[in-house]
Amino acid sequence: MSIAIPAPRSELIEGLDAPLGVLDPEGSRHPSPVLDDSLADVDESALTDLYVDMSVLRRVDEESFALARQGELALWPPLRGQEAAQIGALRGVRDDDFLFPTYREHPLALLRGADPAEVLSVWKGMALSGWDPFAHRLATTQIIIGAQTLHATGYAMAARRDGGDDIALAFFGDGATSEGDVSEAMVFASSFQAPVVFFCQNNQYAISEPVRVQSETALALRATGFGIPALRVDGNDVLAVLAAVRIAAERARAGGGATFVEAVTYRMGPHTTTDDPGRYRDEAEVAAWAAKDPIERLERHLERIGAPIARIREEARIRCDAIAAQVRAGAAHTTAPDTETMFDDVYVAPTRRLERQRAEHLAFVRSVEGLR
Amino acid sequence: MSAETLTLGRAIGRALSDAMDADPAVVLMGEDIGRLGGVFRVTDGLQARFGADRVIDSPLAESAIVGTAVGMAYRGACPVVEIQFDGFVFPAVDQIVAQVARLHYRTHGRVRMPLTIRLPYGGGIGSVEHHGESPEAYFAHTPGLRVVTASSPQEAYSTLRAAIASDDPVVFLEPKARYWTKGDVDVAIVRDIESAQVLTRGRDVTLAAYGSVVQTALEAAAAAVDDGIEIEVIDLRSISPLDLDAVVASVERTGRLVVAHEAPGEASVSSELITSVVERAFASLEAAPERVTGYDTPYPPSALESHYLPGLDRILDAVDRTLGRRSSRTLLRHEPSERARDARPAVLEGSAR
C-alpha cells in the first residue's frame, strides 16, 4: 500500500476545498487519486462486511437509545449518522492497534469483542468502565474531551521506543480540537514522530455549538501548523474514511509519524438523551444530512455493482436482531455491584486509611440492616 | 554497605539512575532534563548514560508531559516525569487528577498507572513568582494518588526508589530548599511510602512536619532542650495517606501536638492531621493542637518569605503554647497583657512538665 501523502508543506493537507470521497450519496463510485490505491483490495465481500458492521453499530445505538428512553439506561450518547466514520476508522487499523475512544465510540467495544452487558454497565451506572482495555485493545471510554489524544500519543511514543509496529488511534470530536490537550498531543506527536492517528469526527456540533464556534478554518488545517499532514474526507463515505485511516496507519507504521484525519459528518440525533437539538438546529439542515446517510449510500452502491442485496440485507438483519437481543438482555441482567466494591481498586496497594473506612462502612451497613 | 555522602539533589539523581538500571521500563521525561540535566541538575548525566529515548527532553507542555506518560504506562512503561517547578504543575492538574489518579479505579483494577511525578516544591530559595509553591493539599485531596516527600538525602533516595517501584501513581515532592543539603546515603536502605518516622524521641510535645520543614523542626527540638523541653519530631514522609497510627501513638505519649508546614493552613495537611488526631486521640490531648503554616496568602515576594515560612521561632512559640508556657523570646520583645496571660490554659511557665 503506498503512502499517498506528499511531503512538501504546501501539500500537507488534502481535501481542504471539498472533503475527499469515492462514494456519492446515490451510491456511485468515483475515482480518487489520493484514496484509490488504499481501496484496491476492497471487494464485494469486504463491502458486505462494512455494510453489516455499520448496520450492527446503528442497531446497537437504536436499542440503547430506546433503553435510555425507557429508563433502563441513565444516559446514552447516540452515534446515528457517524457509522461510516467509526467503522471506517475501526477497519482501517489492525486488531492489535490500540484505540482511545470517547463516549460516542463506546459501541465499538462490541465490535472488538466486548460483552454487551459490559458495554452497557457504564450507562446503567453500574460501572465506570465495562471492558478490559487490554483484552480488546480499546482504552476505557473518555469523557474529558481531548484527554485521550495525549494518552494515544504517549502509547504511540512507547510503541516506537519498544520497536513495535503497532500504532495508536485517538478518537475525538470537533469540540475537542479547541482543548489545549489536542494541540499538545500534536506537538508531542510531531516532535517524537509518534505513530498515532488523530481521528477527528467533525459532527458539526459540540452539544449546541456549531463547529464555526470552534474554528474559522477547516479543523484539518490545524494539523499542518504542527507539521502533521492531514486528510479531510467525507465522513459519511465509509470507503473514504477506511482509505484515509489506512493511509494514516500505514504511514505511522512505516515511521512517518502522525496524521490527522478529519471525517466530515453529522450527528443525526441529540448530543445525549438529555439534549434537545430542536433548540439549536433547523429541520432543513437535518434533512439535508439525512439524504447523505452512510448506510443507505453503501446499500445503493452494493445494488449498483450487482451484489446480492436481498441476501446481504438478510445477513445484516440476522446479526442486528441477535445483537439487539444481547443488548436488551445485557441491560436487564446487569445488577448493581456490591457496596463494598466502592472501596476496591483506588490503589493497587490498599491504604490502611481506606481499609478502615471500608470496615467502618460495612459495620454501619450491618447495624442499619439489623434495625430493619 | 558503606554510605556515600551526597546532596539531596544528587541522591535523587542516584535513585533515578539506579531505578533505570534495575528496570528497563523506567523512562524519564521532562523539560530540560536531558543535556542540561534539569534546571536543578538532578538528572545530570542521565541522558548521556541511558540515551535520549529513556531520558526524554519534552516540549514545554505540562498537561502533555503527564498525559503522554499515561499512554506510556498503558503500554507497560514506568514513566517518571519531572515538572520543572511547583508553580508549573497546574496546567497538568487535569491529567493528574482526572486521569492518572483514577484510571485504576475507573477500569476496576485493569489498568495500572505506575507513574511518578517529580515536583520540586516549597519556598526558601529566594525565587520569583510560580517558582515557590506548596501544592500538596490539592493532590492529597485526590483519591488514587500517593503524595510523598523527603527531608534528607537518604530519605530522598529511599523514598524515590519506593515511589518508582510502586504500582500506584505517586506525586513526589522535592524540597528544593534542601537540594544542596548533604548527608549520608546508603543505597541498600529500602523504605515503604506510607510510614512516618520518629526522628527524635521526646516526652513533652509531638512535632510533625514534612519536607524541608523537618530540618527546622529538628533545630527547634535542639533549641528546646535548653529550656528543658523534649520534642518528639516526626517526619511524616507520606502526605497522603498520612501515617496516623504513628502520630496518634506519639500524641498518646506526649499529650501535645504541633504540626508545621509551608503551605497555607486552610484546608491543608495540618487541617487533616489535627482533625484525625482529635478524632482518634482526643482523650490523650492535654492541650489544643497547634499548627505553624504559611499564611493564607499566596507565597509573598521572596524578601518577605522568611516571615511567611514556618521558621524556628514560630515553631517554638507554638510548642510553648501547647505547654501553656510563655515564650522566653516573646518575653524579651513584649510582655503580654495581664488579661492575655490569664487566658492561658495552664500554668506551666518556666518549666517543662
Side-chain angles (χ1 to χ4, degrees):
Chain A
M1 200 176 296
S2 68
I3 294 163
I5 298 177
R9 284 189 173 269
S10 60
E11 295 171 273
L12 276 178
I13 186 164
E14 294 277 1
L16 188 58
D17 297 331
L20 304 174
V22 297
L23 280 187
D24 68 22
E26 283 68 49
S28 295
R29 175 88 185 251
H30 302 280
S32 166
V34 178
L35 304 176
D36 278 344
D37 282 355
S38 300
L39 296 169
D41 64 326
V42 179
D43 56 12
E44 187 183 297
S45 158
L47 290 170
T48 301
D49 287 347
L50 292 169
Y51 175 79
V52 173
D53 278 351
M54 287 198 290
S55 302
V56 164
L57 200 59
R58 175 164 295 184
R59 187 62 179 274
V60 168
D61 184 49
E62 286 170 351
E63 289 297 331
S64 304
F65 196 93
L67 287 167
R69 285 280 186 253
Q70 292 158 17
E72 284 286 316
L73 304 181
L75 189 74
W76 183 255
L79 60 85
R80 188 184 185 91
Q82 299 181 221
E83 295 88 349
Q86 297 192 8
I87 293 298
L90 180 76
R91 297 307 180 207
V93 297
R94 284 194 329 220
D95 285 347
D96 65 331
D97 292 331
F98 213 96
L99 308 181
F100 289 83
T102 79
Y103 45 85
R104 209 175 298 287
E105 293 80 35
H106 203 94
L108 288 185
L110 291 169
L111 292 154
R112 276 260 171 119
D115 183 75
E118 289 178 328
V119 173
L120 288 181
S121 62
V122 173
W123 307 102
K124 273 186 78 91
M126 302 297 183
L128 295 182
S129 69
W131 61 85
D132 180 345
F134 299 107
H136 306 297
R137 309 199 64 71
L138 184 75
T140 188
T141 290
Q142 187 56 250
I143 290 177
I144 303 294
I145 59 169
Q148 76 285 0
T149 60
L150 289 172
H151 305 168
T153 301
Y155 188 94
M157 288 164 65
R160 183 168 179 267
R161 190 175 79 83
D162 292 350
D165 74 342
D166 54 327
I167 66 155
L169 185 148
F171 289 93
F172 55 104
D174 41 301
T177 60
S178 296
E179 291 280 359
D181 277 357
V182 176
S183 289
E184 292 191 18
M186 288 195 277
V187 171
F188 272 54
S190 178
S191 296
F192 298 116
Q193 295 93 48
V196 58
V197 178
F198 294 112
F199 185 72
C200 176
Q201 286 168 87
N202 174 3
N203 70 9
Q204 310 301 322
Y205 286 90
I207 304 188
S208 71
E209 296 187 355
V211 66
R212 177 64 179 72
V213 175
Q214 315 296 336
S215 181
E216 193 172 340
T217 61
L219 300 177
L221 197 52
R222 300 225 169 147
T224 61
F226 298 99
I228 294 174
L231 289 164
R232 191 159 172 268
V233 297
D234 181 345
N236 286 21
D237 173 352
V238 70
L239 294 182
V241 178
L242 176 72
V245 172
R246 279 178 162 186
I247 290 167
E250 290 312 308
R251 189 172 171 276
R253 237 183 277 292
T259 304
F260 186 111
V261 176
E262 178 187 353
V264 181
T265 181
Y266 196 77
R267 182 232 303 150
M268 295 301 296
H271 165 64
T272 69
T273 38
T274 62
D275 178 34
D276 176 11
R279 294 171 75 103
Y280 55 85
R281 305 194 304 203
D282 63 52
E283 285 176 21
E285 179 185 286
V286 179
W289 278 95
K292 302 178 189 173
D293 186 86
I295 299 180
E296 288 172 18
R297 181 182 308 201
L298 185 56
E299 197 171 326
R300 290 187 192 116
H301 179 64
L302 284 164
E303 276 181 311
R304 277 176 190 275
I305 63 171
I309 193 66
R311 189 180 60 70
I312 292 169
R313 278 202 201 99
E314 180 62 8
E315 183 187 335
R317 190 189 64 76
I318 291 167
R319 285 277 308 280
C320 287
D321 285 352
I323 199 112
Q326 288 178 334
V327 164
R328 284 193 299 274
H333 296 145
T334 309
T335 50
D338 289 341
T339 313
E340 198 186 346
T341 61
M342 179 165 70
F343 297 96
D344 291 344
D345 302 317
V346 181
Y347 297 93
V348 176
T351 64
R352 292 196 293 269
R353 184 187 178 96
L354 207 50
E355 291 307 301
R356 182 180 287 116
Q357 287 182 10
R358 180 201 298 267
E360 285 170 0
H361 178 76
L362 288 178
F364 173 74
V365 168
R366 275 195 289 271
S367 73
V368 172
E369 282 168 351
L371 294 174
R372 286 199 189 119
Chain B
M1 174 89 203
S2 62
E4 196 179 342
T5 303
L6 295 173
T7 64
L8 187 145
R10 290 275 176 207
I12 292 170
R14 179 69 191 274
L16 292 170
S17 178
D18 289 354
M20 294 181 83
D21 274 332
D23 182 357
V26 175
V27 184
L28 312 188
M29 184 161 63
E31 296 160 10
D32 305 302
I33 68 167
R35 290 177 67 180
L36 183 67
V39 292
F40 292 106
R41 305 294 182 268
V42 166
T43 54
D44 192 23
L46 295 182
Q47 192 181 63
R49 201 165 150 224
F50 295 101
D53 274 356
R54 288 188 74 189
V55 181
I56 302 168
D57 266 328
S58 77
L60 274 72
E62 284 76 13
S63 187
I65 290 171
V66 176
T68 56
V70 168
M72 291 182 189
Y74 251 105
R75 208 179 188 283
C78 179
V80 182
V81 301
E82 177 180 302
I83 301 294
Q84 196 160 62
F85 278 96
D86 32 31
F88 305 167
V89 77
F90 299 106
V93 167
D94 172 54
Q95 285 289 335
I96 296 173
V97 168
Q99 305 296 332
V100 172
R102 52 170 73 187
L103 268 162
H104 190 64
Y105 191 70
R106 183 186 291 159
T107 59
H108 311 280
R110 287 151 177 157
V111 175
R112 291 187 176 191
M113 282 292 129
L115 176 60
T116 303
I117 299 165
R118 293 181 40 235
L119 187 60
Y121 92 111
I125 62 165
S127 201
V128 296
E129 194 182 9
H130 306 305
H131 291 66
E133 303 264 336
S134 282
E136 60 267 30
Y138 299 111
F139 300 117
H141 191 66
T142 302
L145 294 178
R146 290 176 177 274
V147 185
V148 302
T149 183
S151 60
S152 68
Q154 179 68 63
E155 289 302 321
Y157 179 86
S158 300
T159 307
L160 183 54
R161 289 298 305 271
I164 295 169
S166 168
D167 273 340
D168 287 311
V170 181
V171 175
F172 181 79
L173 297 164
E174 301 177 1
K176 66 171 94 80
R178 306 292 181 198
Y179 268 142
W180 300 275
T181 303
K182 284 185 177 173
D184 288 345
V185 175
D186 182 343
V187 298
I189 293 178
V190 177
R191 294 251 196 272
D192 61 40
I193 47 168
E194 53 187 54
S195 299
Q197 269 196 308
V198 177
L199 297 186
T200 66
R201 286 283 178 187
R203 64 178 182 219
D204 298 320
V205 179
T206 298
L207 173 54
Y210 56 85
S212 65
V213 183
V214 170
Q215 187 58 42
T216 317
L218 289 170
E219 288 161 16
V225 169
D226 294 343
D227 285 345
I229 300 168
E230 286 184 12
I231 297 177
E232 184 151 304
V233 174
I234 296 186
D235 180 358
L236 290 171
R237 298 183 66 249
S238 175
I239 291 167
S240 178
L242 285 165
D243 185 355
L244 294 176
D245 293 346
V247 179
V248 165
S250 176
V251 169
E252 284 171 346
R253 285 193 296 273
T254 65
R256 292 174 171 81
L257 174 64
V258 174
V259 185
H261 58 64
E262 293 186 8
E266 184 174 357
S268 65
V269 174
S270 56
S271 309
E272 176 56 35
L273 185 60
I274 290 172
T275 303
S276 297
V277 167
V278 168
E279 282 173 346
R280 287 180 54 184
F282 182 74
S284 299
L285 286 167
E286 293 182 37
E290 288 278 341
R291 55 177 164 172
V292 187
T293 70
Y295 298 109
D296 295 336
T297 70
Y299 266 69
S302 56
L304 303 178
E305 234 182 14
S306 62
H307 298 276
Y308 172 89
L309 297 172
L312 184 60
D313 288 348
R314 281 173 62 203
I315 290 174
L316 286 171
D317 271 356
V319 168
D320 286 339
R321 283 195 300 276
T322 64
L323 289 163
R325 180 180 182 277
R326 273 189 298 176
S327 158
S328 51
R329 287 163 311 88
T330 307
L331 277 174
L332 288 177
R333 287 197 290 269
H334 62 91
E335 192 69 33
S337 69
E338 285 296 317
R339 207 169 151 187
R341 209 180 316 165
D342 292 344
R344 299 259 161 125
V347 183
L348 289 169
E349 291 171 22
S351 65
R353 61 190 182 98

